[in-house]
């Protein structure tokens, strides 16, 4: 089975839709995907993901199913030092250094400022959501792998968000979502491709083959968004700090 995780196009966050650039990106994405074999479509309920997905599905004459758990992952924590709310990615490196448990696939949830927040509940909802969907497609979670009930080569396409994708991938890969969010960045309309591997009979694991692919933008000479990145060097005031 193949999973394609598509981040929405360049966003107009205020109105939860796409900018003009985002609409161009979505059409270029549709150009790229219309020749792909795609069997099932799943969408976040948020407008920017819906519009991105519709650009592709309209081209194919297809429809998709919307799940609340594909909503952008926004539960926040209260930072111990400042008392300020903060989502669980884009921490400063010094903060990650102070709390190395954030890199652990299990210990990150036990940090007091995470345990006492709504993050564990939100994380559990996403994990249960993807596991329920994969079970529908023949792969049932068992400990750290999936039991194969119905092996297949279907392609599932998810139109969602950077944070939501990171949470799903962390569950599939048995890793901390904080580590993925902290060290990866997916441009708008990028495609992340994950395959099952059934190297042992009846057992499946997942492997990422490409992350954040934007070949459709490069081919059309559409600038790749800076969204999700921070300043490459500290002395550049024009880039996000």
């Amino acid at each position: 089975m193949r999973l394609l995780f598509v981040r929405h196009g360049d966003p107009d966050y205020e109105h939860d839709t796409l900018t003009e650039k985002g609409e161009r990106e979505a059409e270029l994405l549709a150009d790229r995907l219309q020749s792909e074999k795609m069997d099932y479509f799943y969408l976040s309920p948020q407008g920017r993901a819906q519009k991105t997905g519709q650009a592709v599905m309209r081209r194919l004459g297809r429809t998709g199913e919307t799940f609340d758990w594909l909503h952008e992952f926004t539960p926040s924590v209260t930072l111990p030092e400042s008392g300020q709310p903060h989502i669980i990615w884009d921490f400063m490196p010094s903060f990650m250094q102070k709390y190395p448990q954030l890199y652990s696939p299990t210990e990150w949830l036990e940090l007091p400022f995470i345990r006492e927040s709504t993050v564990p509940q939100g994380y559990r909802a996403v994990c249960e959501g993807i596991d329920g969907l994969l079970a529908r497609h023949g792969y049932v979670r068992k400990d750290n792998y999936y039991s194969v009930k119905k092996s297949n080569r279907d392609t599932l396409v998810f139109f969602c968000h950077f944070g939501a994708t990171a949470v799903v991938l962390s569950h599939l890969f048995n890793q901390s979502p904080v580590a993925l969010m902290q060290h990866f960045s997916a441009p708008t309309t990028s495609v992340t491709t994950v395959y099952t591997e059934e190297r042992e009979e009846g057992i499946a694991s997942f492997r990422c083959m490409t992350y954040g692919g934007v070949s459709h933008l490069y081919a059309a000479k559409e600038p790749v968004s800076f969204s999700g990145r921070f300043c490459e060097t500290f002395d550049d005031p024009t880039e996000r700090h």
Side-chain angles (χ1 to χ4, degrees):
M1 184 167 61
R2 181 174 65 154
L3 311 179
L4 302 182
F5 295 94
V6 182
R7 189 184 176 195
H8 56 76
D10 189 64
D12 174 349
Y13 284 119
E14 181 181 357
H15 301 99
D16 190 23
T17 186
L18 300 180
T19 64
E20 289 185 10
K21 173 175 171 51
E23 292 180 358
R24 289 197 305 273
E25 291 176 341
E27 291 301 324
L28 292 172
L29 174 69
D31 291 342
R32 161 69 177 82
L33 293 181
Q34 65 181 354
S35 61
E36 289 278 341
K37 173 187 176 294
M38 296 179 290
D39 302 290
Y40 301 92
F41 298 89
Y42 302 111
L43 299 91
S44 156
Q46 291 175 273
R48 53 193 185 270
Q50 290 277 325
K51 287 203 72 172
T52 304
Q54 289 299 331
V56 175
M57 294 186 297
R58 182 172 57 250
R59 191 80 65 90
L60 300 171
R62 302 285 298 278
T63 59
E65 188 173 356
T66 297
F67 288 116
D68 285 342
W69 53 267
L70 283 172
H71 188 286
E72 180 59 293
F73 194 77
T74 55
S76 63
V77 299
T78 300
L79 296 178
E81 288 79 8
S82 67
Q84 296 297 310
H86 198 289
I87 55 177
I88 62 166
W89 68 90
D90 293 342
F91 291 123
M92 290 296 182
S94 56
F95 187 86
M96 296 294 292
Q97 177 73 15
K98 187 171 183 179
Y99 298 99
Q101 300 95 320
L102 290 169
Y103 287 104
S104 168
T106 55
E107 293 178 14
W108 76 277
L109 281 167
E110 298 305 317
L111 283 165
F113 64 89
I114 289 183
R115 187 178 65 242
E116 296 164 6
S117 73
T118 58
V119 168
Q121 178 183 355
Y123 185 72
R124 185 165 55 250
V126 176
C127 294
E128 290 174 352
I130 189 63
D131 282 347
L133 182 61
L134 292 178
R136 185 197 300 186
H137 288 279
Y139 294 83
V140 177
R141 182 83 178 193
K142 182 180 180 182
D143 301 322
N144 286 338
Y145 64 85
Y146 288 80
S147 178
V148 180
K149 303 302 181 183
K150 183 182 178 182
S151 182
N152 65 79
R153 293 178 179 268
D154 291 344
T155 296
L156 282 55
V157 186
F158 299 84
F159 294 99
C160 53
H161 312 267
F162 166 70
T165 296
V167 171
V168 171
L169 294 182
S170 76
H171 184 56
L172 297 182
F173 302 157
N174 304 300
Q175 297 178 3
S176 163
V178 181
L180 295 180
M181 293 168 168
Q182 192 73 16
H183 296 290
F184 285 78
S185 179
T188 50
T189 65
S190 63
V191 181
T192 294
T193 305
V194 176
Y195 284 92
T196 51
E197 288 187 344
E198 300 178 27
R199 300 171 66 194
E200 297 177 278
E201 187 174 5
I203 296 174
S205 60
F206 288 88
R207 188 181 296 267
C208 182
M209 299 303 295
T210 59
Y211 182 90
V214 286
S215 60
H216 55 289
L217 301 183
Y218 285 123
K221 296 182 171 55
E222 177 69 30
V224 178
S225 71
F226 194 80
S227 177
R229 287 186 58 197
F230 288 85
C231 53
E232 187 169 345
T233 58
F234 184 79
D235 59 0
D236 187 344
T238 67
E239 294 180 341
R240 189 163 64 123
H241 279 63

